[in-house]
Amino acid sequence: MTHNSHAFPPFIRRDWLDVGSGQRLHLAQYGDPHGIPLLYLHGGPGAGVDTSELALFNGDHYWILLLDQRGAGQSLPAGELHHNHLNGLIRDIETIRIALNIERWCLAGGSFGATLALIYSGLFPQRVIAQVLWALFIPSAAGIEWLYGGSGAARLHPQAYRDFCDNASQEQPIFEHYRQGFYAADKAVRHQFARRWIHWELTLAGAKSVLPQRLSPELLALAKIELHYAINNYFNTLSMLQRVTSKVTARTLLLQGTQDAVCPAMLLNEFVAEVGEQNIEIRTIVEGGHSLNSEILSLAVTLEIQAMWSWINRQELA
């Protein structure tokens, strides 16, 4: 029997689903349409799906659904902020499940995608069989200060943080500084601010990308959507997480890299201690980073998604 684990899962189809409020979501399907349905949730918020992430999944086992969330990736309108909020993103997940006539499915996602998965699986516990999540983003005051304030990740990369802060004054909060930059009249200024925003994030994620002077529409959308969520305190994502995490019944595995400088382990540990969650297994990935460009994290995620399939098969045989 030949095994095509190194080949990408075969493409099935793509659609732009109208979910109301002028939003059309890009949904691409891969793998086996008769396999176990699995929805992949990207991070950001606003990052969109990168097809390289298909390498995580065995196309013989799963019916893989890659969703670009509101305003992200190939979803339309690109970078749209109206009606772009947590409740909308969660509702979209359930809309897609119903549209595809899926009874129960699996979830996978990292960072803000892991946050969405955890909330959805707490709100709709009967709909999620199992999930593999990593680098969970917890938008607590400490989490936001760590990312964007002067006392957290800024201390790991002092020069990069100075570049990020640019000429923001003490009086003007950093988010307001960026909001004015993103909506400046001069296009070059808008790109400059978006580049600085994304460069800070790439630095923390350990990515070695060189950003072009003129960013792609997808990268501009990412910066705008991330700021939109940050400036709106993530639309009460934290209180939602605190409220629904204990209601999760799906087999849930959370992978946490020891070298994750975006969503550090201490924040996850504090959150789990606070909600006293029993159903979620946390696995520490030594030397693992934040994003899938961390090879050790990527390998762990791939293996656990494979193990999830085996676990589901054992349940069905039992």
Side-chain angles (χ1 to χ4, degrees), residues 3-240:
H3 195 260
N4 64 349
S5 61
H6 297 295
F8 273 4
F11 172 75
I12 302 170
R13 61 178 291 166
R14 71 178 72 247
D15 298 281
W16 277 264
L17 299 177
D18 188 338
V19 291
S21 309
Q23 304 280 343
R24 291 171 62 220
L25 303 185
H26 176 248
L27 180 73
Q29 304 180 31
Y30 293 85
D32 177 3
H34 304 292
I36 294 166
L38 183 149
L39 177 68
Y40 176 68
L41 293 166
H42 65 70
V49 173
D50 187 324
T51 49
S52 68
E53 290 154 345
L54 281 167
L56 299 171
F57 310 106
N58 185 324
D60 298 337
H61 293 167
Y62 289 109
W63 174 21
I64 304 144
L65 308 167
L66 301 187
L67 169 68
D68 285 328
Q69 293 152 31
R70 295 186 175 202
Q74 296 182 61
S75 288
L76 300 167
E80 180 61 69
L81 303 183
H82 292 299
H83 307 289
N84 199 334
H85 43 62
L86 177 70
N87 288 356
L89 300 187
I90 296 294
R91 204 166 54 234
D92 292 343
I93 297 173
E94 186 61 354
T95 300
I96 286 163
R97 184 192 67 77
I98 293 164
L100 296 178
N101 202 19
I102 293 169
E103 184 68 26
R104 298 169 75 220
W105 53 359
C106 293
L107 303 177
S111 197
F112 183 75
T115 310
L116 279 182
L118 205 53
I119 290 172
Y120 173 83
S121 60
L123 287 170
F124 299 93
Q126 72 285 11
R127 298 300 176 195
V128 185
I129 308 163
Q131 53 191 344
V132 175
L133 312 175
W134 58 96
L136 178 70
F137 175 57
I138 299 155
S140 58
I144 295 167
E145 170 62 30
W146 170 268
L147 258 184
Y148 299 115
S151 63
R155 292 180 174 173
L156 302 177
H157 301 280
Q159 183 54 53
Y161 186 70
R162 280 194 291 275
D163 294 343
F164 172 69
C165 288
D166 177 39
N167 298 314
S169 64
Q170 293 301 314
E171 298 77 52
Q172 188 185 45
I174 190 79
F175 294 152
E176 187 51 38
H177 175 65
Y178 270 91
R179 196 181 66 80
Q180 290 180 9
F182 285 0
Y183 295 95
D186 184 343
K187 186 177 183 179
V189 171
R190 296 198 298 270
H191 278 260
Q192 199 181 354
F193 269 83
R195 280 179 84 244
R196 265 203 298 272
W197 178 275
I198 291 169
H199 189 263
W200 171 239
E201 193 167 296
L202 290 175
T203 301
L204 294 188
K208 303 283 184 277
S209 307
V210 177
L211 291 169
Q213 287 299 323
R214 284 288 165 97
L215 297 180
S216 67
E218 288 84 1
L219 281 176
L220 279 176
L222 167 62
K224 277 172 64 180
I225 293 169
E226 282 193 334
L227 178 66
H228 169 68
Y229 275 75
I231 221 163
N232 286 291
N233 199 30
Y234 297 91
F235 299 96
N236 296 325
T237 293
L238 179 67
S239 59
M240 184 73 101

